[in-house]
Amino acid sequence: MKIYLLLFITLLLVCISCKSIKVREIPILDATQPFSGKIEKIHITQYTYPLEGVLQDTLKETGTILFDKNNKIIQHSEQDEYNNTELILDPKNRYFKSVITKNKNSNIFRSDFTYDKNGNILKFSSYKNDKLVHSNESKYDSKGNIIEKSSSDYAESGKVRNRLDKWSYNYKLNYYIVQSNDNTNAGNQLYVKRSFDKNGFITKEEIVNNKEEVVGTRISYDYDEKGNLMKKCLLGKDETPYDITLYKNILDEKGNIVVREKYWNNKLIEKIYNKIIYR
């Protein structure tokens, strides 16, 4: 997973964490705790290991984040074997307004973001060599939780795939239902049900029918006290876990993560080192 996505969501979570019942994104970004202490820069190195065979590096990503004296991010870049990525921040609100990636094949990928006053993403557009390939627009309720997203994917042939997702919340029972429709699957009657805890973190995801009966995949998520994802697994019909993903953190004296390991069925598949330089 790209480093910039982790830090992008981390920044948003810090900005909106003071709001009540703010439902977080599905925790595919793993770690969400904010950094603490007076930081000058962080050098990040991420290794990905093969699922089969000997333990050897198959992918290495590096990144550098610079902070000002108020601990606000002022610059962020990352590189891997094939790509160089630069994150462009809006100097007024410090949200990432663009992400630009250049690869060895001379392709340029750009993502642009537009926000409301609370830091929620109103519009997202992505381009390949200045040609629009995807766009979406979102609406939110009074709690800042998304209620609708309209998306469009653009193919080289000129065909457009449109999709409309709608969220309906049950705040008393802490769950929501997502209904999706697109122009290739208009008759789909399956929905995604996600339960969340008092901090807004997703704890369970299920595929249900229009009666909210579970008819498909079930996923469970567990977190530590700082909101970092520590366990993700599929659940059988009898709640037996399988395909288990676990995480292990090593912290420095200020409580920041300096090493984060990811295991799938007890096999190390990813390791991230954060070399933090304090002021």
Side-chain angles (χ1 to χ4, degrees), residues 182-219:
D182 61 38
N183 57 359
T184 64
N185 196 19
N188 182 21
Q189 294 299 311
L190 297 181
Y191 309 91
V192 178
K193 178 180 179 181
R194 297 185 180 120
S195 302
F196 52 90
D197 62 18
K198 63 181 180 179
N199 296 314
F201 289 104
I202 304 300
T203 56
K204 184 178 287 189
E205 180 177 3
E206 303 166 302
I207 304 300
V208 300
N209 58 22
N210 57 4
K211 297 180 180 179
E212 296 189 19
E213 299 169 332
V214 178
V215 294
T217 303
R218 306 167 74 193
I219 306 175

Side-chain angles (χ1 to χ4, degrees), residues 127-148:
Y127 302 83
K128 179 180 179 181
N129 299 327
D130 289 327
K131 184 176 181 180
L132 183 64
V133 295
H134 174 84
S135 66
N136 65 59
E137 296 186 13
S138 301
K139 298 178 181 179
Y140 300 84
D141 65 13
S142 60
K143 301 180 187 299
N145 293 316
I146 188 169
I147 55 174
E148 184 176 300

Side-chain angles (χ1 to χ4, degrees), residues 92-151:
K92 294 182 179 180
N93 55 30
R94 302 304 175 91
Y95 299 144
F96 293 116
K97 63 179 183 179
S98 296
V99 177
I100 301 173
T101 298
K102 300 178 181 179
N103 67 18
K104 288 187 174 181
N105 296 325
S106 300
N107 291 312
I108 300 177
F109 301 89
R110 188 181 88 247
S111 298
D112 295 334
F113 304 86
T114 302
Y115 306 84
D116 65 15
K117 63 180 181 180
N118 296 316
N120 298 307
I121 298 175
L122 291 177
K123 186 174 182 179
F124 169 80
S125 301
S126 60
Y127 302 83
K128 179 180 179 181
N129 299 327
D130 289 327
K131 184 176 181 180
L132 183 64
V133 295
H134 174 84
S135 66
N136 65 59
E137 296 186 13
S138 301
K139 298 178 181 179
Y140 300 84
D141 65 13
S142 60
K143 301 180 187 299
N145 293 316
I146 188 169
I147 55 174
E148 184 176 300
K149 179 184 288 186
S150 56
S151 307

Side-chain angles (χ1 to χ4, degrees), residues 40-64:
E40 180 180 346
K41 67 176 65 175
I42 301 177
H43 295 295
I44 303 172
T45 305
Q46 176 176 311
Y47 294 97
T48 302
Y49 304 102
L51 292 176
E52 303 294 339
V54 297
L55 189 64
Q56 61 183 6
D57 302 341
T58 58
L59 177 64
K60 179 181 177 180
E61 297 182 43
T62 59
T64 302

Side-chain angles (χ1 to χ4, degrees), residues 38-43 67 274-279:
K38 292 295 183 179
I39 300 174
E40 180 180 346
K41 67 176 65 175
I42 301 177
H43 295 295
F67 297 80
N274 296 323
K275 182 180 179 181
I276 303 175
I277 299 174
Y278 294 95
R279 294 186 182 276

Side-chain angles (χ1 to χ4, degrees), residues 69-267:
K69 293 182 179 180
N70 296 315
N71 245 32
K72 301 294 185 181
I73 297 174
I74 56 175
Q75 186 175 335
H76 186 183
S77 60
E78 66 174 48
Q79 307 81 36
D80 61 26
E81 183 179 356
Y82 306 101
N83 305 287
N84 286 288
T85 299
E86 187 76 22
L87 286 83
I88 311 300
L89 291 101
D90 187 320
K92 294 182 179 180
N93 55 30
R94 302 304 175 91
Y95 299 144
F96 293 116
K97 63 179 183 179
S98 296
V99 177
I100 301 173
T101 298
K102 300 178 181 179
N103 67 18
K104 288 187 174 181
N105 296 325
S106 300
N107 291 312
I108 300 177
F109 301 89
R110 188 181 88 247
S111 298
D112 295 334
F113 304 86
T114 302
Y115 306 84
D116 65 15
K117 63 180 181 180
N118 296 316
N120 298 307
I121 298 175
L122 291 177
K123 186 174 182 179
F124 169 80
S125 301
S126 60
Y127 302 83
K128 179 180 179 181
N129 299 327
D130 289 327
K131 184 176 181 180
L132 183 64
V133 295
H134 174 84
S135 66
N136 65 59
E137 296 186 13
S138 301
K139 298 178 181 179
Y140 300 84
D141 65 13
S142 60
K143 301 180 187 299
N145 293 316
I146 188 169
I147 55 174
E148 184 176 300
K149 179 184 288 186
S150 56
S151 307
S152 297
D153 292 302
Y154 304 88
E156 292 185 3
S157 62
K159 291 184 178 180
V160 178
R161 175 178 175 176
N162 297 314
R163 174 182 174 123
L164 179 64
D165 296 337
K166 292 186 177 183
W167 283 250
S168 57
Y169 294 84
N170 186 323
Y171 286 113
K172 291 184 178 180
L173 298 180
N174 283 17
Y175 74 86
Y176 64 84
I177 301 289
V178 183
Q179 179 181 0
S180 300
N181 292 290
D182 61 38
N183 57 359
T184 64
N185 196 19
N188 182 21
Q189 294 299 311
L190 297 181
Y191 309 91
V192 178
K193 178 180 179 181
R194 297 185 180 120
S195 302
F196 52 90
D197 62 18
K198 63 181 180 179
N199 296 314
F201 289 104
I202 304 300
T203 56
K204 184 178 287 189
E205 180 177 3
E206 303 166 302
I207 304 300
V208 300
N209 58 22
N210 57 4
K211 297 180 180 179
E212 296 189 19
E213 299 169 332
V214 178
V215 294
T217 303
R218 306 167 74 193
I219 306 175
S220 174
Y221 304 92
D222 294 314
Y223 308 84
D224 65 11
E225 67 279 359
K226 293 185 177 181
N228 301 307
L229 180 64
M230 301 306 295
K231 181 180 179 181
K232 173 186 174 182
C233 62
L234 297 177
L235 297 175
K237 293 182 179 180
D238 58 353
E239 297 286 325
T240 301
Y242 66 99
D243 275 354
I244 301 172
T245 300
L246 297 174
Y247 299 84
K248 178 182 178 181
N249 291 332
I250 298 177
L251 309 178
D252 65 11
E253 67 278 1
K254 296 185 182 295
N256 291 317
I257 297 174
V258 291
V259 179
R260 184 164 172 85
E261 297 176 334
K262 181 178 180 179
Y263 296 84
W264 179 73
N265 291 337
N266 296 318
K267 181 176 177 60

